[in-house]
Amino acid sequence: MAGTNYGRMLDMKLCELEKNGCRPKLLLHACCAPCSSHVLEYLSGKFRITLYFCNPNISPQSEYDFRLAELKRLVTEMKLDIEIIEEDYAPDEFYRLAKGLEDLPERGERCRRCIGYRLELAGKKAAELGSDYFTTTLTISPHKDCTFINEYGAAVSERCGIAYLFSDFKKHEGYKRSIELSKQYNLYRQNYCGCIYSKKAAENQRKESSQNGEGA
């Protein structure tokens, strides 16, 4: 629901877990190493985390493979005892979902379908593993619709039977911390979300900025 403080909801849940003295199992969908950095730092002591790298939107495959390699390197260098489950690169379903929506901007219907699909797969995987919770690192991005992500996650939770961990990882300067950690670990910070359409949009924006700069 719009206006809901999902960061506060996460804070309350973490306080509840601390009081109960439990450290539940969390399936954490990870989009990339930079977005995962703060989230892992923030949650690793509170949950037994399994990272789930499932991002069929990323293009090309070399980009997918490199982002996965950076995530693995981050976990190693942070000295975290965390398993990473990786899905095979299978972009066909993303292109099917995006058909007819190729020119829409980020946060539009194409983006919502893409995020929804990944949350569905994350919920399914969480159920397969017997996780107590599942969530995604995507709410750390200022370019993503946090309300949509949480509402869709809650809907998936009802279908898969695994509790969804509400979040807004931007809170408590989380996005700023992710930038700091990215510099600390020399992480590759991509300049587009991942799909070919966001890449084209980023390239067009750079061209426009360059042209405006030349005309100044």
Side-chain angles (χ1 to χ4, degrees):
M1 172 181 304
T4 301
N5 189 332
Y6 292 106
R8 177 60 178 161
M9 289 178 69
L10 176 59
D11 291 343
M12 292 173 65
K13 174 57 67 175
L14 296 181
C15 287
E16 175 189 320
L17 295 177
E18 185 176 1
K19 287 180 181 178
N20 293 336
C22 59
R23 192 164 172 255
K25 293 168 61 178
L26 171 69
L27 188 287
L28 176 62
H29 167 261
C31 56
C32 63
C35 287
S36 301
S37 59
H38 164 69
V39 180
L40 288 172
E41 182 182 64
Y42 192 54
L43 297 182
S44 59
K46 303 171 178 67
F47 293 92
R48 290 170 288 156
I49 297 174
T50 297
L51 278 173
Y52 183 51
F53 191 80
C54 175
N55 302 288
N57 57 305
I58 296 176
S59 179
Q61 184 169 356
S62 58
E63 178 79 13
Y64 182 93
D65 292 340
F66 189 61
R67 293 192 192 192
L68 175 57
E70 283 290 89
L71 181 64
K72 291 179 177 179
R73 180 172 69 84
L74 174 66
V75 169
T76 298
E77 295 189 8
M78 290 182 76
K79 296 180 172 58
L80 298 173
D81 184 19
I82 289 177
E83 179 186 8
I84 300 176
I85 296 177
E86 56 192 81
E87 293 288 359
D88 293 334
Y89 182 62
D92 289 350
E93 181 62 17
F94 166 73
Y95 287 118
R96 187 189 70 79
L97 292 171
K99 188 173 179 59
L101 307 172
E102 294 87 351
D103 296 329
L104 293 183
E106 192 167 354
R107 293 173 69 101
E109 180 60 23
R110 185 190 69 242
C111 195
R112 288 192 289 270
R113 288 188 185 184
C114 174
I115 291 172
Y117 178 61
R118 286 183 281 171
L119 286 171
E120 295 281 2
L121 293 177
K124 180 180 178 181
K125 182 61 67 175
E128 289 176 3
L129 297 176
S131 301
D132 299 299
Y133 295 88
F134 77 100
T135 195
T136 177
T137 60
L138 287 167
T139 63
I140 199 169
S141 172
H143 304 294
K144 296 290 184 288
D145 186 338
C146 183
T147 297
F148 170 79
I149 293 170
N150 282 287
E151 289 182 348
Y152 201 98
V156 172
S157 173
E158 292 184 4
R159 291 192 285 274
C160 72
I162 304 298
Y164 180 76
L165 185 68
F166 293 98
S167 72
D168 184 348
F169 293 118
K170 295 183 295 298
K171 298 297 185 180
H172 308 302
E173 298 193 323
Y175 181 66
K176 178 182 177 182
R177 180 58 179 160
S178 75
I179 295 174
E180 294 171 351
L181 288 168
S182 295
K183 291 178 180 178
Q184 178 181 333
Y185 290 101
N186 194 29
L187 297 176
Y188 162 63
R189 287 184 63 84
Q190 58 278 356
N191 58 8
Y192 68 104
C193 173
C195 74
I196 189 172
Y197 312 116
S198 63
K199 184 177 183 179
K200 288 179 179 178
E203 289 173 350
N204 290 336
Q205 187 174 23
R206 285 197 301 274
K207 288 179 182 178
E208 291 176 4
S209 298
S210 177
Q211 291 171 355
N212 291 337
E214 290 175 358

